[in-house]
Every structure is written in C-alpha cells, then in structure tokens.
Amino acid sequence: MLSGERIVTAAGEGGPAAAGMTADGTAETPAAVPGAGMVADSGGAAGPQSRTSDIVPGPGGVMTDEVGVVTGDLTLRTEYADGKVTLRVQYKDADEWYVVTSTSVALADPAGLDAVHGVAVGLLHRPEG
C-alpha cells in the first residue's frame, strides 16, 4: 500500500471486526455490524467499495466534470458500486469530491477494484512532473 492509502468497504473503514456470526455458525442477535451479511443474489459480492490514496498530479493537474482542472495535493478515490467503477478526487482533507472526467465505466468483477485503483494512482500520481 502507498502512504496515505486506505481501504473502505460498505461496512466502513478497514471492514468489520466480525461478520455477525458466532463460532458455532449461528447469527449474533442483533448483528453487530449493519450490512455485514451475505447477499444471496449477488454471488457473494460486497456492496459499494472504495480505495483511496493521496496523490500529487503532474503539471497539467486532473480534469474533473464539476470544476475543471484541479492541482496540488489531492486524494484519489476509486469507487465500485452497481457494477461500475468511478474515479473521484478532492483537495486533500476537503469535503467536496469531484468526478475525474471520463472515468465512470463498467467493471464486471469487483475483485478488479484494487488493480483499477493501482493503475489510476500510477497514471495520476506524478509528484516529479
């Protein structure tokens, strides 16, 4: 992982400590982590997921749909939800996120999220220019 990189799942940062089951296989009452159960019709796929990394883009910055080019210290978030992956950036520690232009595309297997995020970081993180 890169410095500043975090993994966030539908259950929250770092994932749940328990999946709502006890050692004998019976469910806890009530489940300790909302949304931590399996989804029968999704083939076991998790819900929305994201990966984040701090980046410094090259001199041209990163083009966004909402505000145009953003530059400087940024945070990149690669999101997976509803069969699509989307890249978003924000100024480091800001509240607003902006969609990176032309980056919302279909991703058939959520297991590919780490690879997509790695490629995005590799392309956008250019601190030396």
Side-chain angles (χ1 to χ4, degrees), residues 98-123:
Y98 308 113
V99 174
V100 177
T101 300
S102 299
T103 62
S104 187
V105 297
L107 180 64
D109 186 352
L113 182 62
D114 288 331
V116 171
H117 183 70
V119 168
V121 169
L123 291 171

Side-chain angles (χ1 to χ4, degrees), residues 32-59:
V33 180
M38 298 296 284
V39 179
D41 62 350
S42 69
Q49 301 176 46
S50 67
R51 306 291 185 267
T52 60
S53 296
D54 294 332
I55 64 168
V56 178

Side-chain angles (χ1 to χ4, degrees), residues 4 9 14 17 24 26 35 49 56 58 68 71 78 83 92 99 101 124:
T9 65
D24 66 1
T26 60
Q49 301 176 46
V56 178
T71 60
T78 307
K92 190 165 166 62
V99 174
T101 300
L124 297 175

Side-chain angles (χ1 to χ4, degrees), residues 26-111:
T26 60
E28 291 180 15
T29 308
V33 180
M38 298 296 284
V39 179
D41 62 350
S42 69
Q49 301 176 46
S50 67
R51 306 291 185 267
T52 60
S53 296
D54 294 332
I55 64 168
V56 178
V62 176
M63 178 62 79
T64 68
D65 292 346
E66 297 85 357
V67 296
V69 175
V70 293
T71 60
D73 293 339
L74 304 174
T75 300
L76 172 69
R77 180 170 71 196
T78 307
E79 301 174 342
Y80 176 82
D82 301 324
K84 288 176 48 173
V85 66
T86 302
L87 300 181
R88 297 180 192 274
V89 291
Q90 72 175 173
Y91 290 104
K92 190 165 166 62
D93 300 322
D95 292 329
E96 300 84 16
W97 288 94
Y98 308 113
V99 174
V100 177
T101 300
S102 299
T103 62
S104 187
V105 297
L107 180 64
D109 186 352

